[in-house]
Amino acid sequence: MGTLYIVPTPVGNMEDMTLRAIRVLKEADLILAEDTRTSGVLLKHFDIKNHLQSHHKFNEHGTSAAVVQRLLAGENVALVSDAGTPGISDPGFFLVREAVRAGVEVLTLPGATAFVPALVSSGLPCDRFCFEGFLPQKKGRQSKVESLQEETRTMIFYESPYRVVKTLELFATYFGDDRQASVCREISKIHEESVRGTLAELIAHFTEHEPKGEIVIVVAGADEKEKDKKQKQKSDHI
C-alpha cells in the first residue's frame, strides 16, 4: 500500500520550500496539483520531473476514487496546492478523508502556510486563536461576523485585496472601531507588509492606499470582561 503525502509549497519565497518536500516530490509516483501551470513552475525550479495531474475543487470528487485506488495498489502520491498547505482554504480535505477511510497512510509535511506568520507578526495574542479562512462572499457574510462578536480568541481571516476595506468596515460594525487588528499582505514576498492598529485606523489606511496581493487579516478577540458585562446585561434584560 502506498502513502498519500500532503506537501506544503512556498506562499512567496522559493527558499521556504523544505528539503524534505523536494525529496518527497521527486520520489512520488504521482503529484496532484491544484493548478498544473502554477505547480509546473515550482517543479521546474527544483528540477522535479515527476508526472503531474490536475486535482482541484471542481474535480476532486471525481478524481479522488481513482487516486485512492492507485494508493491501495502501492503507489505513493503527493498533493500540492498553488501555495501553502493543502486543505487550509485549498483543496485537500476530501482526498485526505477518502484515503483515511480506505486505510491509506496520510503523512502531512510541516511547511509554509500564510496564517501562522501573519498571526505571530500581528503583535496580538497567539496562544489561543481561531482560523476562519475566507468569509462567505455574499449570503451569510454578515451573520458569520455577527456570530463572532463574543469570540475572545484572536481571529484570523483570508481576504481578497478587492474586499479588504469592506471587510474591515464590517468588522468595525460588529467588533467596534477601536478593536485592534493587523493586515498582513504578500507574506514571504519582496513587498511583504504588516499594517497594525485599530480597525478605524486600518480602514483609513487602506482607503488611502489600495491593498494589493494576498491578504491575511488578524483581529483581536473580545475582551473577557466586556463579554461578561454584555452577557450580564442580556440576562438582566431577560
Side-chain angles (χ1 to χ4, degrees):
M1 188 180 295
T3 299
L4 174 62
Y5 292 94
I6 309 302
V7 183
T9 54
V11 296
N13 194 320
M14 286 287 194
E15 292 179 1
D16 292 337
M17 191 73 168
T18 69
L19 296 174
R20 185 183 176 199
I22 295 170
R23 176 182 61 78
V24 166
L25 291 178
K26 285 185 174 181
E27 294 176 354
D29 297 297
L30 172 67
I31 299 173
L32 301 175
E34 183 180 2
D35 186 325
T36 55
R37 294 165 298 180
T38 301
S39 296
V41 174
L42 175 79
L43 300 187
K44 184 177 181 181
H45 181 84
F46 291 106
D47 194 31
I48 300 169
K49 301 174 182 178
N50 291 15
H51 180 59
L52 195 60
Q53 179 179 311
S54 177
H55 183 88
H56 47 73
K57 65 180 180 180
F58 301 108
N59 74 356
E60 62 179 341
H61 287 73
T63 59
S64 292
V67 172
V68 169
Q69 288 305 310
R70 295 182 69 161
L71 287 161
L72 291 172
E75 293 188 29
N76 290 322
V77 177
L79 174 67
V80 298
S81 63
D82 289 349
T85 300
I88 305 297
S89 291
D90 276 323
F93 161 72
F94 185 78
L95 177 59
V96 169
R97 186 186 70 183
E98 296 305 296
V100 168
R101 285 179 174 175
V104 173
E105 182 176 22
V106 178
L107 293 178
T108 301
L109 278 59
T113 190
F115 79 80
V116 173
L119 169 63
V120 177
S121 298
S122 70
L124 297 171
C126 49
D127 54 335
R128 296 174 65 247
F129 60 89
C130 60
F131 175 71
E132 294 295 333
F134 286 98
L135 289 169
Q137 288 190 24
K138 295 180 181 179
K139 188 177 180 180
R141 188 176 181 84
Q142 184 172 319
S143 59
K144 179 61 181 178
V145 175
E146 185 177 7
S147 73
L148 294 169
Q149 276 186 294
E150 295 184 354
E151 175 58 68
T152 57
R153 295 171 295 179
T154 301
M155 297 170 282
I156 306 165
F157 305 86
Y158 285 166
E159 190 52 279
S160 157
Y162 308 109
R163 289 192 296 270
V164 167
V165 173
K166 285 187 176 180
T167 298
L168 291 172
E169 289 173 342
L170 185 62
F171 289 162
T173 299
Y174 287 98
F175 303 152
D177 283 349
D178 58 348
R179 183 74 67 90
Q180 290 291 318
S182 170
V183 175
C184 191
R185 66 180 195 88
E186 295 291 78
I187 291 171
S188 192
K189 298 178 182 177
I190 295 173
H191 301 293
E192 179 175 347
E193 176 187 43
S194 288
V195 182
R196 308 169 182 88
T198 64
L199 287 170
E201 290 168 340
L202 293 176
I203 291 167
H205 175 85
F206 287 108
T207 298
E208 184 176 345
H209 304 91
E210 182 181 356
K212 296 180 180 179
E214 301 296 323
I215 304 288
V216 183
I217 303 175
V218 184
V219 184
D223 183 84
E224 289 278 5
K225 292 180 181 178
E226 186 65 27
K227 177 185 173 182
D228 292 341
K229 182 180 177 181
K230 286 182 179 179
Q231 288 179 337
K232 186 177 186 302
Q233 289 173 342
K234 283 182 181 179
S235 60
D236 289 344
H237 181 71
I238 294 171

